[in-house]
Amino acid sequence: MTPPRWAAVARATGLLAEDGTPRPTIFAEMSALAARTGAVNLGQGFPDVDGPASVARVAADAIAAGANQYPPGPGIPALRAAIAAHQERHYGLTPDPDTEVLVTAGATEALAATVLALVGPGDEVLTIEPYYDAYAAVIALAGATHTTVPLRATPHGFRLDTAALAAAFTDRTRIVLVNTPHNPTGAVLTRDELGAVARLATEHDAIVVTDEVYEHLTLVGPDGTRPPHVPVATLPGMAERTLTISSAGKTFSFTGWKIGWVSGPAPLVDAVRTVKQFLTYVNGAPLQPAVAFALSDEGVAAWVDELAASLSRRRDLLCAGLTAAGFDVVVPQGTYFVCADARGLGYDDGAALCRDLPRLAGVVAVPVSAFTRAGSSADDALRSWLRFTFVKRDEVLAAALDGLARLA
Ligand SMILES: *Cc1c(COP(=O)(O)O)cnc(C)c1O
């Protein structure tokens, strides 16, 4: 008998050891550790301040005004129009809001429906490693094979190894799933790196799926400017083979709302919708007009820019504290995470340090091995690395920095 799909998912995400022993994810273990010890939790990546009140007000008004029944399957027209206008304003992309935009239950459902729609047993999905944990789960759910290409720590940040990228493609590669700005490393992939992805995907006739949930959270660099976010769909010839995924959660600090979207060529969006309509059908009726407002309002756009500026400042504080404590830090160019190597502190195993860190410094982080798979070259290279978030209030970060100072 074929083993049940849940077991493949559990194995792919570390919920089952190779010998079949169940175990909690490291995320659950670390959050429990934070709760038990009262340590500052820089492990879980969600903001501790909500997004703009003006946006929350639109949602509250929509509930009061009766937007409480199933919205249209593809999403309300106002939101699809706002997503299309956003793609045009920021990137010069012109998806048709009626046929080339689909609203989903967060980026997570967009990713799941896309992978389930487009691949099955025998197909390969190529992702960057380390990777967001949901990727491994949904690829296993589809019965497809997960292949990876490592990001490597360099003096210029985490960079894509383009020779390894070329070697990772096979004639079974159906999807290449690219996340930029990248969680957990904070890398913002360059036009050259993404050009290599585009060229290889075209050569191998693969579909590119991009996870751009941090598209607006690029951070100020040493030269005082923010690196450009480049959607693969904007590269020559790529719009016709790329599905672009994003969501309101990270951009507007409403991670609990779970309003996401996917845009791309109509036949591909159709395929995704076919699956999506039987996963959740629809979600978030009163939240959809609020996200349409958020995507269109100039005041909210200024709020997002301010968030990116404030995250840049908070990144600098945390990076300085980690460096002073003896970590080797790769300064992130985007997202709200920083990865730091603990070898200088005498730890070869990041998970071991994560278990000791509440006692040593009153801080909780997650090991980067939570985003790699056992035995891969990225897993080897990043075994001693930890991920910290800086999307926390100043006083929370100050408490973490005080604790980290005890490590030095
Ligand atoms: C948070 C996150 C998601 C999930 O987004 P939702 O809209 O909450 O589903 C997807 N990808 C990455 C890289 C993330 O960090």
Side-chain angles (χ1 to χ4, degrees):
M1 203 182 83
T2 325
R5 252 322 124 75
W6 73 263
V9 172
R11 250 189 202 95
T13 53
L15 280 166
L16 277 184
E18 274 312 315
D19 66 3
T21 324
R23 57 183 184 203
T25 66
I26 191 82
F27 296 99
E29 183 187 340
M30 289 303 139
S31 285
L33 187 60
R36 199 161 65 238
T37 59
V40 181
N41 193 347
L42 302 186
Q44 265 186 329
F46 62 87
D48 57 1
V49 176
D50 283 351
S54 61
V55 178
R57 169 59 50 203
V58 178
D61 288 350
I63 291 179
N68 300 305
Q69 308 305 329
Y70 295 134
I76 63 168
L79 178 52
R80 282 183 280 119
I83 292 163
H86 169 276
Q87 294 304 93
E88 174 150 32
R89 190 165 69 250
H90 288 280
Y91 309 121
L93 294 166
T94 54
D96 178 337
D98 290 329
T99 58
E100 298 184 321
V101 176
L102 174 66
V103 175
T104 57
T108 306
E109 190 197 31
L111 286 159
T114 297
V115 170
L116 290 169
L118 300 180
V119 298
D123 295 330
E124 294 176 0
V125 179
L126 173 58
T127 78
I128 292 167
E129 188 176 7
Y131 50 79
Y132 188 62
D133 56 348
Y135 299 174
V138 72
I139 293 165
L141 200 54
T145 302
H146 186 184
T147 59
T148 69
V149 57
L151 280 185
R152 298 197 193 287
T154 78
H156 315 289
F158 278 93
R159 302 276 47 115
L160 192 59
D161 179 336
T162 46
L165 178 68
F169 270 86
T170 77
D171 49 11
R172 297 186 156 202
T173 306
R174 291 270 293 137
I175 291 179
V176 48
L177 169 46
V178 182
N179 169 216
T180 183
H182 182 258
N183 176 8
T185 65
V188 175
L189 297 184
T190 62
R191 193 171 284 280
D192 281 354
E193 288 167 320
L194 295 166
V197 171
R199 182 173 48 76
L200 287 159
T202 305
E203 267 171 40
H204 291 270
D205 198 21
I207 292 163
V208 180
V209 177
T210 62
D211 176 345
E212 307 185 12
V213 299
Y214 298 100
E215 61 187 317
H216 293 296
L217 302 184
T218 57
L219 306 174
V220 178
D223 66 353
T225 69
R226 292 165 58 191
H229 165 66
V230 180
V232 171
T234 62
L235 299 180
M238 292 309 290
E240 65 197 53
R241 63 168 69 244
T242 302
L243 282 168
T244 303
I245 291 171
S246 192
S247 111
K250 309 294 163 50
T251 298
F252 303 117
S253 292
F254 286 117
T255 59
W257 283 16
K258 298 298 281 190
I259 301 292
W261 50 88
V262 49
S263 61
L268 289 177
V269 170
D270 261 347
V272 176
R273 181 180 15 237
T274 302
V275 173
K276 178 265 184 297
Q277 67 191 338
F278 298 111
L279 291 176
T280 56
Y281 177 41
V282 291
N283 71 296
L287 306 177
Q288 292 194 20
V291 173
F293 167 77
L295 285 168
S296 318
D297 183 70
E298 279 179 21
V300 174
W303 182 94
V304 174
D305 278 340
E306 183 46 46
L307 173 64
S310 128
L311 284 171
S312 304
R313 185 178 50 71
R314 289 183 263 173
R315 173 213 46 202
D316 291 344
L317 282 175
L318 182 58
C319 287
L322 290 170
T323 304
F327 286 95
D328 230 322
V329 169
V330 172
V331 178
Q333 304 171 292
T335 75
Y336 33 61
F337 302 108
V338 54
C339 290
D341 187 357
R343 255 175 313 182
L345 288 160
Y347 279 83
D348 288 334
D349 178 4
L353 177 55
C354 283
R355 293 189 178 99
D356 290 350
L357 208 52
R359 179 172 52 77
L360 297 173
V363 170
V364 163
V366 289
V368 173
S369 58
F371 307 90
T372 60
R373 50 167 179 208
S376 71
S377 76
D379 184 63
D380 247 22
L382 299 172
R383 175 141 298 277
S384 55
W385 290 67
L386 276 59
R387 187 195 76 171
F388 298 83
T389 184
F390 45 89
V391 70
K392 301 295 172 193
R393 282 169 292 130
D394 282 344
E395 54 270 36
V396 175
L397 283 181
L401 291 172
D402 281 349
L404 287 168
R406 302 209 311 262
L407 270 181

